[in-house]
Amino acid sequence: MLNFLAMSNPAFMIAGAGLSIYGSMQAGKAEKARQRQIAAQQEQNAKFEELSALQAHNERQDRLASLIGVNETIRAKANRGSNDRSIAALTASEKKKSSTQDNRARTQTMLSVSRSRFAAADARTQGNQAMRTALFKSVGTAISLGDKMSEI
């Protein structure tokens, strides 16, 4: 008696290979879409980091302007001339401190933004790699099908 399940059926082999290829391609597309979403989120994080840094910079500049205004008010109230060295020294010190803080914050922001943009680029690369992997797996399945069909 013939066992039909044990025999190689070309239609089943083709259908199985087709489903395997389709599944591989769908998995690759899904992973690429997921990585694209991760990349978009990382790009958004970089933009938020830049905006946050700009707001912090503006706050530091406002604080410096207020401090200089207070110094000028004290100078005027105390009837000191515009060449008063102590007020000028305080103002110069605050400007230097503000500049140092701005430079540190700018460097930190550049590092954070760079890190987010690198993560976005890496996610895009991972998505492309997932598609290449799916393509090569599909090609391997098609070659395997061709080999099995030649044995029938």
Side-chain angles (χ1 to χ4, degrees):
M1 184 162 184
L2 292 172
N3 184 354
F4 290 102
L5 295 176
M7 294 179 63
S8 296
N9 187 332
F12 288 148
M13 291 170 60
I14 292 170
L19 287 173
S20 178
I21 290 170
Y22 179 76
S24 294
M25 294 305 289
Q26 288 303 105
K29 286 179 184 178
E31 181 62 16
K32 186 171 183 172
R34 186 179 81 81
Q35 292 295 342
R36 194 175 324 123
Q37 290 296 330
I38 291 170
Q41 182 62 49
Q42 291 294 339
E43 288 291 342
Q44 192 67 34
N45 290 349
K47 289 178 185 176
F48 282 141
E49 185 68 33
E50 288 173 338
L51 179 60
S52 177
L54 181 60
Q55 290 171 337
H57 170 74
N58 289 342
E59 289 172 6
R60 283 190 301 276
Q61 293 304 310
D62 288 345
R63 187 191 63 76
L64 178 62
S66 293
L67 190 92
I68 290 172
V70 168
N71 283 350
E72 290 298 316
T73 303
I74 291 171
R75 183 186 57 78
K77 182 82 170 149
N79 287 329
R80 293 186 173 189
S82 61
N83 295 331
D84 185 88
R85 291 190 318 212
S86 62
I87 298 292
L90 283 172
T91 302
S93 173
E94 284 301 319
K95 284 182 178 180
K96 183 178 179 183
K97 188 164 102 175
S98 179
S99 176
T100 301
Q101 288 174 346
D102 274 347
N103 289 339
R104 286 178 183 159
R106 190 177 305 112
T107 301
Q108 182 62 38
T109 299
M110 285 189 324
L111 290 173
S112 296
V113 168
S114 176
R115 197 175 302 121
S116 289
R117 293 224 164 104
F118 175 79
D122 187 51
R124 284 189 290 274
T125 301
Q126 291 297 324
N128 290 337
Q129 182 61 37
M131 281 303 296
R132 278 192 295 277
T133 299
L135 178 64
F136 287 130
K137 185 175 180 182
S138 296
V139 168
T141 300
I143 290 171
S144 177
L145 172 65
D147 183 49
K148 287 180 183 175
M149 292 293 283
S150 70
E151 293 175 3
I152 296 179

